[in-house]
Amino acid sequence: MGHFTAGREAYARHVGRYGGALSAAHADAAGLAAGDRALDVGCGPGGLLAELARRLGAAQVAGVDPTEPFVGTARAAVPAADVRRGSAERLPFDAGAFDVVLSQLVVNFMDDAEAGVAEMRRVARRAVTSCVWDYAGEMTMLRGFWDAALELDPDAPDEGRTMRFCTPRELAALWETAGLREVRTDALVVEAGYADFEDYWSPFLSGLGPSGAYCASLGDDARAALRDACLARLGSPSGPFTLSARAWFVRGAV
Ligand SMILES: C[S@@+](CC[C@H](N)C(=O)[O-])C[C@H]1O[C@@H](n2cnc3c(N)ncnc32)[C@H](O)[C@@H]1O
């Protein structure tokens, strides 16, 4: 999980820039009710956890993540929440401990997603939800990066090809395999603003996520060529701009 550990600030400026809006859209779609207990699986630095705490109360929410620095950051974000270190595949919680179990941008990173979603179902009483970026389509920030990379290197590890569970069909099948019922999918579309192109480009240099790891693997010349190709793909903006990002959402009843 090394590519997730570059730190909170870098994460916040990379895909984390969309996190606040995505967490709100995910919480809206999840079908929460007052008094619910909710678990955020793969909570990362705790953006969705904080959104759930605002809606349900911090004592009603819990989070779990295998990456140690994120566990600490999530605990600091929501001190009254029960944040534990662990993996989806072996959740350290009792059966039926939560009304709703959510995971945001995580099932595509699980070692064994079938086991992870089965565990999410085990600890849920009412519903299990998730969302995954539309890597192959309208997650514009990453799509632009990988399209630029493919232009220069046809073997670039495009997340639109390497990621599993980033289509509504695959997500629905994963949920049905776990025995969840009334499975439905939807699009969550959010936006984020950039001050300028450097604001877009510099987070890729932090090594964070598969895109950052790819950037870090390049020599100076190849990285400079990739930067130019990304700039061209974005229409060579000279000032602030906004990008939209689509994630596919899935919800199933227990
Ligand atoms: C892209 S981040 C998303 C973090 C957070 N959910 C968010 O929306 O900002 C992916 C997260 O999944 C976690 N993760 C990876 N494999 C996991 C697994 N098997 N079980 C639970 N979490 C996992 C990582 O540690 C990381 O925090």
Side-chain angles (χ1 to χ4, degrees):
M1 298 314 303
H3 59 240
F4 285 119
T5 55
R8 178 189 190 177
E9 214 180 304
Y11 187 83
R13 298 186 57 239
H14 191 260
V15 285
R17 192 180 301 248
Y18 299 83
L22 187 65
S23 295
H26 189 173
D28 283 348
L32 302 169
D36 275 354
R37 279 185 54 74
L39 172 65
D40 180 9
V41 174
C43 63
L48 176 61
L49 190 72
E51 182 67 34
L52 296 170
R54 273 192 288 278
R55 294 178 186 222
L56 301 173
Q60 296 293 100
V61 303
V64 61
D65 200 286
T67 306
E68 188 57 49
F70 282 160
V71 172
T73 308
R75 281 189 184 132
V78 190
D82 175 5
V83 182
R84 302 187 191 180
R85 185 169 184 197
S87 291
E89 292 88 341
R90 286 186 63 185
L91 287 174
F93 298 99
D94 292 339
F98 301 94
D99 299 287
V100 180
V101 176
L102 309 89
S103 74
Q104 180 162 298
L105 313 175
V106 175
V107 291
N108 51 309
F109 291 111
M110 288 179 190
D111 293 329
D112 184 345
E114 285 79 6
V117 179
E119 273 287 272
M120 290 168 65
R121 178 176 181 272
R122 180 184 67 80
V123 302
R125 278 194 291 271
R126 193 169 80 242
V128 177
T129 75
S130 194
C131 62
V132 177
W133 290 127
D134 177 13
Y135 291 98
E138 294 179 30
M139 195 317 175
T140 314
M141 167 217 160
L142 291 174
R143 193 63 258 143
F145 175 89
W146 288 117
D147 283 341
L150 289 170
E151 219 176 276
L152 302 166
D153 169 10
D155 296 325
D158 170 13
E159 289 171 275
R161 290 184 206 161
T162 60
M163 287 297 183
R164 298 178 72 198
F165 309 118
C166 54
T167 63
R169 183 201 286 246
E170 273 178 294
L171 280 172
L174 180 62
W175 255 233
E176 276 155 10
T177 300
L180 290 153
R181 298 175 300 107
E182 297 160 38
V183 174
R184 69 175 179 83
T185 57
D186 205 349
L188 305 179
V189 180
V190 296
E191 287 189 341
Y194 294 85
D196 52 25
F197 177 72
E198 278 315 310
D199 192 24
Y200 169 88
W201 175 248
S202 58
F204 290 109
L205 303 176
S206 65
L208 200 71
S211 53
Y214 178 69
C215 242
S217 76
L218 299 175
D220 290 348
D221 290 350
R223 196 160 42 242
L226 178 56
R227 180 192 181 284
D228 290 348
C230 284
L231 180 63
R233 289 235 159 228
L234 291 175
S236 303
S238 57
F241 58 94
T242 298
L243 298 179
S244 74
R246 178 165 69 188
W248 294 116
F249 167 80
V250 61
R251 183 183 194 278
V254 174

